[in-house]
Amino acid sequence: MKKMFALVLALVLCLSASAMAETVLQLGTTVNEQDSFQVCAEKFAELVAERTNGEYKIEIYPNGTLGGESDMLDSMTMGMLDMGIITSGPFVNFSEMMGVLDMPFLFASNEEAYAVLDGEIGKELLGTLEEVGLKGLAYAERGFRNVTNSVRPVTCAADLEGLKLRVMENEVYTATFNALGVNAVPMAWAEALTAMQQGTIEGEENPVNVIYSYGLWDYNQKYVTLDRHSYATAIITMSLDVFNGLDEATQQIFLESAQEAAEYERAWVAEQEAGQLAEIKAHGVEVVEDPDVDSFREAVQGVYDAYPQYADYVARIQAQLAE
């Protein structure tokens, strides 16, 4: 009898263990482990594991292990990759309307950006991704982007004239920097690091946390200008097929965990920035903290005229911010 009971118990435990077997999802980024995306990914993974009682485990693959950002988005549309945290830039190639978020000087502060992104307009824009098989869960943050270069201090728009700078593979960014007189070179981030090291490009544009986490002073970047020309989001993105494969309660857990992780990452970025800036200066980088932003704004006004398809969204964003 005891043997029979032990066998039944073993069978029950075995069945329980198999029923509770975790589902592993892969999440890719193109950044290193010191980056805010890693902070966001780790928080997200922790929340999902906790709230699904270990049923879902998110494995994080940094450093472009699973491909560049556009490659990862392609893989997600085909259901070949589960998830990624992707900078806003490449999304315009999947949903044209997402490009409105890349317009220069659209937001004056983080608070303005959060109000729009976490509200109706932000959710509506994420909804457009579903048409191409992507599910945008929440907006994390890349941050306000700034110019770095190896040639000279940039204090106004005219100082950018003729500089050869890497921009994200995104039409609006290219148009913005062409309007500033820059020789804009769209390329993937991994290639940009090599190009800066070799001197084939003279600079790039990125938020303070990227300049710091990649130690861009080691890539000949001697000058940083805090022009805050564009606020870049980072979207916690999922394959729509994979998302649709979850039951409704689990979908809700993923959405809520992504939003919480995004807000956690934003706060982390804000806390880190002053120290990171001090560290950048300590490495001998000259930082222009108060450039003539009006000269930048004036130079890029034509970019708004060049993209009339964004006029309605721009008007709605400006109306919301004026309330």
Side-chain angles (χ1 to χ4, degrees):
M1 189 70 182
K2 280 184 181 174
K3 276 187 179 176
M4 179 63 74
F5 177 76
L7 279 169
V8 169
L9 183 61
L11 186 61
V12 167
L13 289 172
C14 188
L15 287 170
S16 302
S18 66
M20 290 172 62
E22 64 185 13
T23 299
V24 176
L25 299 177
Q26 295 185 331
L27 182 152
T29 76
T30 59
V31 298
N32 63 25
E33 293 89 337
Q34 284 70 54
D35 194 273
S36 66
F37 284 20
Q38 182 77 13
V39 170
C40 184
E42 286 176 3
K43 186 67 175 175
F44 180 49
E46 174 196 317
L47 291 171
V48 166
E50 186 183 297
R51 290 168 183 177
T52 63
N53 298 314
E55 194 180 330
Y56 286 87
K57 179 185 178 184
I58 295 173
E59 288 183 348
I60 303 160
Y61 292 82
N63 297 303
T65 313
L66 304 180
E69 292 194 318
S70 294
D71 300 325
M72 286 196 285
L73 287 171
D74 273 330
S75 296
M76 280 185 261
T77 64
M78 296 183 280
M80 292 164 60
L81 172 63
D82 303 311
M83 309 181 69
I85 299 178
I86 311 287
T87 316
S88 56
F91 281 94
V92 69
N93 302 316
F94 294 81
S95 165
E96 187 183 25
M97 284 302 112
M98 290 297 291
V100 69
L101 297 177
D102 299 317
M103 297 301 276
F105 300 101
L106 184 64
F107 301 117
S109 67
N110 293 67
E111 290 68 33
E112 284 191 0
Y114 305 156
V116 170
L117 297 171
D118 294 341
E120 183 190 331
I121 295 172
K123 288 183 171 63
E124 196 177 298
L125 287 168
L126 288 183
T128 67
L129 296 173
E130 297 192 22
E131 294 163 26
V132 291
L134 296 169
K135 178 68 181 178
L137 301 180
Y139 294 96
E141 179 167 276
R142 182 78 288 176
F144 277 100
R145 302 179 75 88
N146 306 290
V147 172
T148 76
N149 82 93
S150 60
V151 181
R152 55 178 174 265
V154 172
T155 59
C156 64
D159 293 335
L160 285 169
E161 188 77 40
L163 289 178
K164 191 173 185 179
L165 305 182
R166 175 266 179 176
V167 297
M168 283 197 291
E169 296 167 288
N170 171 297
E171 204 181 296
V172 175
Y173 276 87
T174 306
T176 296
F177 278 89
N178 285 341
L180 288 162
V182 165
N183 177 1
V185 184
M187 64 168 72
W189 180 235
E191 293 167 31
L193 291 168
T194 307
M196 281 187 284
Q197 217 158 28
Q198 293 174 345
T200 52
I201 58 171
E202 294 164 327
E204 54 82 64
E205 45 84 45
N206 252 312
V208 167
N209 61 75
V210 176
I211 297 165
Y212 168 78
S213 67
Y214 278 89
L216 291 190
W217 49 85
D218 290 331
Y219 294 84
N220 303 316
Q221 299 304 286
K222 300 172 188 168
Y223 306 99
V224 172
T225 299
L226 303 183
D227 60 298
R228 296 164 68 85
H229 53 267
S230 179
Y231 175 84
T233 66
I235 300 173
I236 304 174
T237 314
M238 199 165 183
S239 162
L240 184 61
D241 281 350
V242 175
F243 181 80
N244 286 341
L246 305 174
D247 63 65
E248 204 171 319
T250 307
Q251 288 180 349
Q252 201 54 38
I253 286 172
F254 271 71
L255 288 164
E256 288 170 5
S257 299
Q259 183 63 30
E260 199 170 313
E263 290 176 17
Y264 178 87
E265 184 251 10
R266 293 171 185 172
W268 185 89
V269 169
E271 282 168 20
Q272 299 291 315
E273 190 161 294
Q276 290 174 341
L277 206 50
E279 191 69 25
I280 289 165
K281 291 176 185 174
H283 281 88
V285 177
E286 186 177 328
V287 179
V288 177
E289 296 194 49
D290 192 20
D292 177 6
V293 172
D294 286 342
S295 69
F296 285 82
R297 286 180 186 276
E298 200 176 311
V300 301
Q301 273 317 296
V303 178
Y304 280 81
D305 301 330
Y307 291 93
Q309 65 267 44
Y310 300 142
D312 284 350
Y313 269 120
V314 168
R316 284 174 62 193
I317 288 167
Q318 288 173 341
Q320 182 183 335
L321 297 176
E323 286 172 2

